[in-house]
Amino acid sequence: MSVLSSLSRAYERMPDAPPYGFSPEKIGFCIALNADGSVHDVIDKRQDDKKRSPAMLLVPQALKRAAGIAPNFLWDKTAYVLGITAGDGKRTADEHSKFCEMHMQWLTGTQDEGLLALLRFLDDWTADRFTAPVWPEDMRDQNIVFALASEYRERYIHERLAAKEIWQGIRAERASDPKICLVNGSFGPVARLHPSLKGVWGAQSSGASLVSFNLDAFTSYGHEQGDNAPVSEVATFQYTTALNRFLEKDSGHRLQIGDASTVFWADASGLISEMAESLFAGMFDTPEAVAFHRELTRLVA
């Protein structure tokens, strides 16, 4: 069994794994909109701690950005959403313009109340409105989501059924032609770009790639990007989601060996998997391993 297929199986065993097409992201603020697109409130989602840590929310999976401008669906940092940044912002206006352009395109024809409110907001918004006290200065460069004012305590706009259906259509359009997946053997659309992996020591802050073809020398038979090693959209999502979870600082599955970020997991199910992983973690004197081992001991006692 390959590493990627084992990671896909590990994703399927995760009790709290994000659903296909979604990923946990750091969200700082939520803009609550009235039905006419006007702003009802700007809600700080950050934790009440010294670092003011953003909340981790499930949102449509982030796009992999290189040098180009690519907005995320129904959420993004303030440069894209509002045309506001704390830095020089040499291309902030272009990022915001692209965010508006793509959402006008993606949401064309929608009758959903929440999505229409967002379109009205984007159509009316100008960056010069970003002033206190409604818009706090430390909101700059935070990730933003939206909600209808009447339901922001229950769900966000990206969680509405109409938004989820549109998102799945967007993902299907981005996929390559159907091929046989090298990971699970299924026939279906394959991923052109694989999501970035966070938490790899020495990698760029935007993340690292486990599967990537970014030079002509790495391609063959005229294939582009992920077509050179076809992995289905589903398998790609599964293995990158599992690996990102294992790479998290307190996951209990990560070790730093020299300059290598190392993860481990057991290819088994249930308590057997947890015990095997705990025994392996117990071989290393790390705070994460000790905490993980203590918790498992408590559960099986």
Side-chain angles (χ1 to χ4, degrees):
M1 176 177 292
S2 72
V3 171
L4 297 191
S5 60
S6 180
L7 283 167
S8 294
R9 285 166 55 90
Y11 165 84
E12 294 172 349
R13 296 195 302 271
M14 290 180 177
D16 57 346
Y20 175 60
F22 288 76
S23 62
E25 301 291 342
K26 297 177 180 179
I27 305 298
F29 288 82
C30 172
I31 300 176
L33 300 175
N34 297 312
D36 62 1
S38 60
V39 176
H40 176 81
D41 197 7
V42 176
I43 304 160
D44 193 337
K45 301 295 296 181
R46 296 172 298 175
Q47 300 176 33
D48 189 17
D49 55 20
K50 292 182 179 179
K51 295 183 178 180
R52 299 294 288 162
S53 304
M56 295 299 295
L57 300 181
L58 279 180
V59 295
Q61 192 172 23
L63 286 180
K64 187 171 184 177
R65 291 173 179 153
I69 295 177
N72 290 315
F73 183 60
L74 299 180
W75 70 278
D76 219 310
K77 58 184 181 179
T78 57
Y80 277 86
V81 175
L82 302 174
I84 297 294
T85 182
D88 295 335
K90 294 181 179 179
R91 65 176 196 177
T92 300
D94 292 335
E95 290 173 338
H96 177 61
S97 177
K98 192 66 173 180
F99 186 88
C100 294
E101 174 191 340
M102 293 308 300
H103 279 80
M104 296 295 179
Q105 176 181 320
W106 288 330
L107 305 182
T108 296
T110 185
Q111 299 299 315
D112 180 80
E113 181 183 16
L115 298 178
L116 287 173
L118 174 58
L119 286 176
R120 291 164 183 153
F121 167 79
L122 293 177
D123 185 55
D124 186 59
W125 170 258
T126 55
D128 58 5
R129 297 186 184 182
F130 190 88
T131 57
V134 176
W135 305 95
E137 277 298 309
D138 59 355
M139 184 178 182
R140 293 176 185 268
D141 297 329
Q142 294 282 329
N143 285 328
I144 309 298
V145 294
F146 292 90
L148 278 178
S150 60
E151 59 182 27
Y152 78 88
R153 295 184 185 276
E154 287 78 37
R155 61 175 175 175
Y156 302 102
I157 287 178
H158 65 263
E159 295 176 321
R160 297 175 68 87
L161 178 59
K164 292 179 179 180
E165 291 175 346
I166 292 173
W167 174 231
Q168 295 307 323
I170 294 171
R171 290 183 61 84
E173 291 176 0
R174 291 173 178 167
S176 178
D177 293 334
K179 292 180 176 62
I180 295 177
C181 174
L182 296 179
V183 173
N184 57 29
S186 64
F187 184 77
V190 301
R192 288 188 176 275
L193 296 175
H194 292 220
S196 296
L197 301 172
K198 305 295 180 65
V200 179
W201 190 87
Q204 295 181 355
S205 58
S206 58
S209 295
L210 188 62
V211 178
S212 177
F213 301 88
N214 59 351
L215 294 175
D216 290 342
F218 305 152
T219 64
S220 60
Y221 298 100
H223 293 313
E224 296 182 357
Q225 299 176 321
D227 286 344
N228 286 276
V231 180
S232 70
E233 286 276 357
V234 173
T236 298
F237 174 79
Q238 290 176 333
Y239 95 75
T240 53
T241 298
L243 193 48
N244 270 319
R245 179 67 61 84
F246 294 155
L247 282 166
E248 291 176 359
K249 183 178 179 180
D250 300 320
S251 69
H253 294 262
R254 173 184 173 179
L255 299 170
Q256 192 65 37
I257 303 177
D259 63 353
S261 298
T262 305
V263 298
F264 60 89
W265 67 95
D267 191 26
S269 59
L271 187 59
I272 294 176
S273 174
E274 294 182 11
M275 292 180 66
E277 291 165 350
S278 176
L279 288 172
F280 185 83
M283 297 170 60
F284 299 89
D285 188 19
T286 65
E288 295 84 1
V290 172
F292 187 79
H293 187 268
R294 286 176 178 171
E295 178 62 17
L296 181 60
T297 302
R298 183 187 68 80
L299 292 172
V300 300

